[in-house]
Amino acid sequence: MIARPLTAGAPASAPAPHGVDLGPLSRASRWQPAEFVFWLLPAAGWFVFPENLSLLTQIAIIALFAISLDLILGYAGIVSLGHAAFFGLGAYAAGMLAKNGFGDPLLGLAAALALAAAAGFITSFLVLRGSDLTRLMVTLGVSLMLFELANKLTDFTGGVDGLQGIEMKPLLGLFPFDIYGRTGYLYSLAVLFILFWVARHLVHSPFGLALRGIRQNALRMPALGAPVNRRLVAVYTIGAGYAGVAGALLTQTTQFVSIDVLSFPRSAELLLILVLGGTGSLYGAMLGAIVFMVAHYLLADINPQYWQFWLGLLLVLVVLFAREGIMGGLRCLGAALSARKSGAAAR
């Protein structure tokens, strides 16, 4: 079933010969009208919520962070309880550069991407050993070690007081980061869209198809010519790099780094976001981020003490009535509407 779109005798990782239709794979890579509508919503947010651009910026950053975990969990099946480690590395990398006079935003993004991806590549050989439970413990252990390291190295990280004194230079030398968050919002949204576009092409490529096959049955994929371990190392490195960029965006738009960027609750919240939105779907990851951040903002404003109760209730309802998350529920709703239309047309 996994190899059906590929040509006969070709390994799962090999590109299709020229002129060969990859069937469902090539059709899935085409942009749908609903996708264009989805990306028009952030543009509308600029005009509809001009006083909440900081919140919209946070949503864009968390959406990118959620995509980074979905690449390794939803598509490759690598479970993680310490994905905040790469988010924090990216945040501190961009913050330390800016604090020491290298405040160019794009330079900070590049440094965060390189550092987080390198950390992901190095730790991947530990993470990919053993079962899912082993991976959970290893990823959590790496995150906890980095958290305590940041807590001890107060001369570099600021410890529990956070990294302060960060000054960002204007984006492209033209657009300063203002207190209203206008530059930060457009900047974060542009980075999110570019990296989403890259991830979308990645998951709809033969590489992404091989990842799905590995998630479903890793023992059979070598028979199709897919090097399982190399594919997992590659996607784990990419996911770590994406998380590092998200952390850098948070630093650059807030000009502050809290030690909480490496904390366990941040990793746990990211898992909740994927459960809400649905794993194995880039749009599901972003929808989960939107719902979680908006619910957090509204519930904390309505009931500051017990907002987590209502958020937990929302999570329980989603699990009960949309087991594949919001995106899965939308798919089921779309399929039901299509079936009803088909039935009405047949009558």
Side-chain angles (χ1 to χ4, degrees), residues 271-311:
L271 286 174
L272 292 180
I273 287 171
L274 284 187
V275 171
L276 283 173
T279 58
S281 169
L282 300 179
Y283 282 105
M286 291 192 291
L287 284 174
I290 294 170
V291 171
F292 180 85
M293 294 297 294
V294 171
H296 187 178
Y297 176 79
L298 295 177
L299 293 175
D301 186 54
I302 295 172
N303 196 331
Q305 288 184 313
Y306 304 107
W307 67 270
Q308 290 182 332
F309 170 83
W310 300 107
L311 189 61

Side-chain angles (χ1 to χ4, degrees), residues 105-129:
L106 299 183
L107 176 63
L109 283 190
L113 174 64
L115 180 61
F121 177 77
I122 293 171
T123 58
S124 66
F125 298 99
L126 295 174
V127 172
L128 298 178
R129 296 170 63 91

Side-chain angles (χ1 to χ4, degrees), residues 42-90:
W46 171 272
F47 300 100
V48 178
F49 305 106
E51 296 180 356
N52 296 101
L53 292 181
S54 296
L55 175 61
L56 296 180
T57 302
Q58 296 287 318
I59 292 174
I61 293 171
I62 297 303
L64 179 59
F65 191 24
I67 288 174
S68 72
L69 181 61
D70 197 37
L71 286 174
I72 69 171
L73 175 60
Y75 288 93
I78 305 173
V79 293
S80 174
L81 270 179
H83 205 58
F86 309 116
F87 185 84
L89 281 176

Side-chain angles (χ1 to χ4, degrees), residues 81-287:
L81 270 179
H83 205 58
F86 309 116
F87 185 84
L89 281 176
Y92 276 110
M96 289 181 181
L97 279 177
K99 186 175 181 179
N100 289 280
F102 300 96
D104 181 73
L106 299 183
L107 176 63
L109 283 190
L113 174 64
L115 180 61
F121 177 77
I122 293 171
T123 58
S124 66
F125 298 99
L126 295 174
V127 172
L128 298 178
R129 296 170 63 91
S131 61
D132 288 346
L133 181 59
T134 304
R135 293 173 181 177
L136 285 173
M137 295 300 100
V138 171
T139 53
L140 178 59
V142 170
S143 180
L144 291 176
M145 287 191 296
L146 288 177
F147 180 87
E148 289 302 327
L149 192 63
N151 189 29
K152 293 294 183 181
L153 300 178
T154 55
D155 292 339
F156 298 97
T157 65
V160 294
D161 295 327
L163 185 63
Q164 305 177 36
I166 298 173
E167 295 184 7
M168 299 305 305
K169 295 180 179 179
L171 179 64
L172 301 176
L174 300 172
F175 308 102
F177 288 86
D178 55 279
I179 60 174
Y180 302 103
R182 290 172 294 196
T183 299
Y185 176 59
L186 294 178
Y187 171 52
S188 300
L189 190 61
V191 174
L192 171 63
F193 179 77
I194 293 171
L195 292 186
F196 170 84
W197 180 81
V198 173
R200 190 181 184 281
H201 280 268
L202 183 71
V203 300
H204 289 127
S205 68
F207 175 81
L209 191 65
L211 291 178
R212 292 187 181 93
I214 293 170
R215 184 193 62 193
Q216 294 177 10
N217 194 328
L219 297 178
R220 294 180 60 184
M221 291 307 293
L224 299 174
V228 173
N229 196 62
R230 281 194 294 174
R231 292 288 180 268
L232 294 180
V233 169
V235 75
Y236 195 80
T237 302
I238 294 170
Y242 270 50
V245 171
L249 286 176
L250 181 65
T251 296
Q252 293 172 349
T253 53
T254 61
Q255 300 191 28
F256 177 76
V257 184
S258 169
I259 196 173
D260 289 340
V261 294
L262 289 166
S263 65
F264 170 73
R266 190 171 291 271
S267 295
E269 287 180 355
L270 192 62
L271 286 174
L272 292 180
I273 287 171
L274 284 187
V275 171
L276 283 173
T279 58
S281 169
L282 300 179
Y283 282 105
M286 291 192 291
L287 284 174

